[in-house]
Amino acid sequence: MGMASGISRPVTAACINPSSCRPRYHRLFFRSFLFRRRLPRSLGTSSEDPFAQRLGGSPSEAMASSSSRSTVSYREELAAAKKAALLASHLCQKVQKSIMPSDVQSKADKSPVTVADYGSQALISLVLKMELPSLSFSLVAEEDSVDLQKDVAHETLKSITKLVNEILSASDTYKLSLSEEEVLDAIDSGKSEGGPHGRHWVLDPIDGTKGFLRGDQYAIALAMLDEGKVALGVLACPNLPLFSVRSTCDQSFNSEIGCIFSACLGSGALMESLNGSTASKVHVSTIEAPADASFFESFEAAHSMHDLSSSIAEKLGVRAPPVRIDSQAKYAAMARGDGAIYLRFPHKGYREKIWDHAAGFIVVSEAGGLVSDAAGNELDFSRGRHLDLDTGIICTNKKLMPLLLKAVQDSLKEKLQSPSTLKPKLNH
Ligand code: AMP
Ligand code: MG
């Protein structure tokens, strides 16, 4: 797999997957002065701000030197999003280390949900409200508390509440203890419908729950829409190797994992280690010849048609085997050039959710890449909780996009002409 990239090299699934390598809140809780204490090292908002560091100046200099007004206006929101995603990462890591069968439930659509999905959503919703108390709050998020309110789920709710409180008290920043009702409320504040007006947070508290359960890749994906456009995004990938994945394979003894990617409209994309020790700007692969490219797709064959991607890759002359990993960690890896193409073709009938793409979309776009539907149209995040496209999502650099689009169109046409290969599988 040949690569050209910002900071890293090719990825293989084997390398990248660690397993193979009701009362309302007390309003006072959300008065930020009660909670603004010492911040975790990697999450400071002033002199430690990575955008300021990258631009080589103080926050105000960084803001002044930016060509985009949006950098200025979303600064506080981005810092809050990073704090929230970092705390949620700690929660997920804690759960993943010793997950028990009782920590996992099955949702109405048969997909798994864990105490970490619920805990992450509660925590992120709380932190955003506490950090940005003056803003009206709208959150479009994957989970809701319906199943947790059933009597049979009481032990699960107790575990989630305990978990959230443990993470809050270990944070050194937020000294509060939530009741079970407050946790349910925090989860349910994610019921917004989003839409084209105003600002809406968009959250997948654990994207790739199946990967999380396998001990593989997953992501905490948080973005903010402003007037229907993605304005900023954060992707925390606790199991993603920090450095070039090829070198991680070569030196597996030295494979530090845990990255957080962030991007704000007009400001580029940044990758930091979860422990805050490194930060660097990232860029998508600059590969121009498809033969040198490698491509990402879902680990789960039920989530994306592997036969279709293989036909597209063949048409392009891609030689490398697919790199299959879970979650928006694919967008993160794309953003730093680990691979040059990401293909996602859900089976007929599946409706894409905005939380599965918003954060990844802005991270890749700000890293210089393009994300579109299979016809080359921009993704539209302004239509509510769904993306409402029926063909698929593709992502690559600007040079490769025309070739990729052509190969995608040709392969889709062929697939349509051979109806026996079209097997509708899932419809949720
Ligand atoms: P990935 O790990 O990239 O395959 O995507 C994970 C996300 O796919 C999950 O968070 C789900 O929201 C979403 N998903 C669930 N079921 C399906 C499906 N049948 N087809 C496509 N995506 C799905
Ligand atoms: Mg998801």
Side-chain angles (χ1 to χ4, degrees):
M1 282 187 268
M3 296 285 156
S5 72
I7 60 164
S8 52
R9 292 217 198 109
V11 186
T12 69
C15 294
I16 219 167
N17 287 332
S19 65
S20 56
C21 235
R22 261 38 74 185
R24 306 246 51 92
Y25 291 116
H26 305 302
R27 294 290 166 206
L28 270 177
F29 274 2
F30 302 119
R31 301 257 170 89
S32 63
F33 64 84
L34 281 180
F35 303 107
R36 283 183 200 275
R37 309 254 173 96
R38 189 160 59 82
L39 302 178
R41 187 154 59 104
S42 61
L43 297 170
T45 49
S46 58
S47 59
E48 291 173 322
D49 187 298
F51 281 96
Q53 281 175 3
R54 181 154 57 75
L55 293 166
S58 67
S60 54
E61 285 163 345
M63 284 155 74
S65 62
S66 166
S67 58
S68 163
R69 278 195 68 245
S70 57
T71 312
V72 179
S73 43
Y74 301 126
R75 185 173 202 76
E76 251 198 295
E77 289 84 348
L78 185 65
K82 287 170 74 174
K83 278 181 211 170
L86 192 85
L87 280 189
S89 300
H90 294 162
L91 184 147
C92 295
Q93 285 170 313
K94 190 178 165 82
V95 174
Q96 201 184 40
K97 258 187 225 151
S98 53
I99 191 148
M100 310 279 286
S102 59
D103 292 331
V104 189
Q105 267 80 45
S106 188
K107 292 201 272 192
D109 65 6
K110 303 275 189 290
S111 63
V113 62
T114 72
V115 292
D117 295 67
Y118 289 122
S120 168
Q121 182 158 322
L123 206 49
I124 288 174
S125 142
L126 279 161
V127 169
L128 291 176
K129 285 181 191 171
M130 288 191 287
E131 289 295 323
L132 304 163
S134 58
L135 298 185
S136 67
F137 187 74
S138 167
L139 174 67
V140 182
E142 177 165 13
E143 310 305 341
D144 65 53
S145 81
V146 172
D147 290 341
L148 285 179
Q149 299 200 36
K150 296 175 182 158
D151 285 347
V152 289
H154 190 231
E155 285 304 312
T156 306
L157 175 59
K158 265 165 75 177
S159 305
I160 297 163
T161 307
K162 183 164 172 271
L163 201 56
V164 169
N165 284 330
E166 280 168 1
I167 298 296
L168 285 171
S169 69
S171 75
D172 221 17
T173 306
Y174 308 106
K175 297 299 174 203
L176 72 162
S177 182
L178 301 179
S179 68
E180 289 165 12
E181 286 295 335
E182 285 165 337
V183 166
L184 290 173
D185 245 359
I187 292 168
D188 277 340
S189 55
K191 286 181 172 171
S192 168
E193 288 295 319
H197 304 299
R199 290 182 177 190
H200 307 278
W201 291 102
V202 180
L203 170 66
D204 195 337
I206 294 190
D207 183 35
T209 306
K210 289 177 182 168
F212 176 77
L213 287 169
R214 264 188 263 109
D216 289 339
Q217 295 303 320
Y218 66 98
I220 292 112
L222 177 61
M224 193 187 79
L225 304 184
D226 194 358
E227 297 299 309
K229 301 274 180 212
V230 189
L232 65 90
V234 174
L235 275 180
C237 305
N239 283 341
L240 194 67
L242 194 55
F243 300 107
S244 150
V245 177
R246 176 176 281 166
S247 69
T248 302
C249 285
D250 296 344
Q251 308 165 39
S252 47
F253 57 89
N254 194 21
S255 55
E256 190 184 337
I257 58 168
C259 319
I260 185 162
F261 292 74
S262 56
C264 202
L265 205 56
S267 297
L270 197 71
M271 183 187 81
E272 293 162 87
S273 58
L274 271 185
N275 66 16
S277 60
T278 63
S280 53
K281 193 175 179 184
V282 289
H283 199 277
V284 293
S285 162
T286 53
I287 273 177
E288 295 184 17
D292 298 333
S294 69
F295 72 95
F296 289 107
E297 65 182 345
S298 291
F299 183 91
E300 297 285 339
H303 292 182
S304 191
M305 294 187 272
H306 289 171
D307 56 343
L308 185 57
S309 354
S310 133
S311 142
I312 294 163
E314 200 181 308
K315 284 192 193 317
L316 280 170
V318 170
R319 292 186 297 238
V323 181
R324 293 179 177 151
I325 61 172
D326 302 278
S327 83
Q328 287 171 73
K330 291 186 279 299
Y331 283 116
M334 279 290 297
R336 67 182 188 188
D338 286 5
I341 298 169
Y342 169 22
L343 302 171
R344 182 181 178 86
F345 294 97
H347 295 270
K348 201 169 165 54
Y350 181 76
R351 291 179 81 193
E352 291 281 11
K353 322 292 190 304
I354 59 173
W355 54 76
D356 279 328
H357 300 282
F361 168 85
I362 186 126
V363 167
V364 163
S365 304
E366 287 297 322
L370 293 173
V371 184
S372 78
D373 72 8
N377 302 310
E378 223 180 278
L379 303 189
D380 183 356
F381 291 92
S382 75
R383 300 160 71 99
R385 291 170 74 87
H386 294 96
L387 276 173
D388 278 337
L389 36 89
D390 57 4
T391 45
I393 293 177
I394 58 176
C395 171
T396 188
N397 64 32
K398 287 169 186 159
K399 278 277 182 204
L400 282 175
M401 187 52 102
L403 286 173
L404 176 59
L405 264 173
K406 166 98 176 64
V408 166
Q409 293 301 314
D410 291 349
S411 293
L412 282 171
K413 236 179 265 162
E414 275 173 22
K415 198 162 175 73
L416 271 177
Q417 283 159 5
S418 55
S420 60
T421 61
L422 276 179
K423 290 181 191 140
K425 282 197 176 163
L426 293 159
N427 194 4
H428 55 78

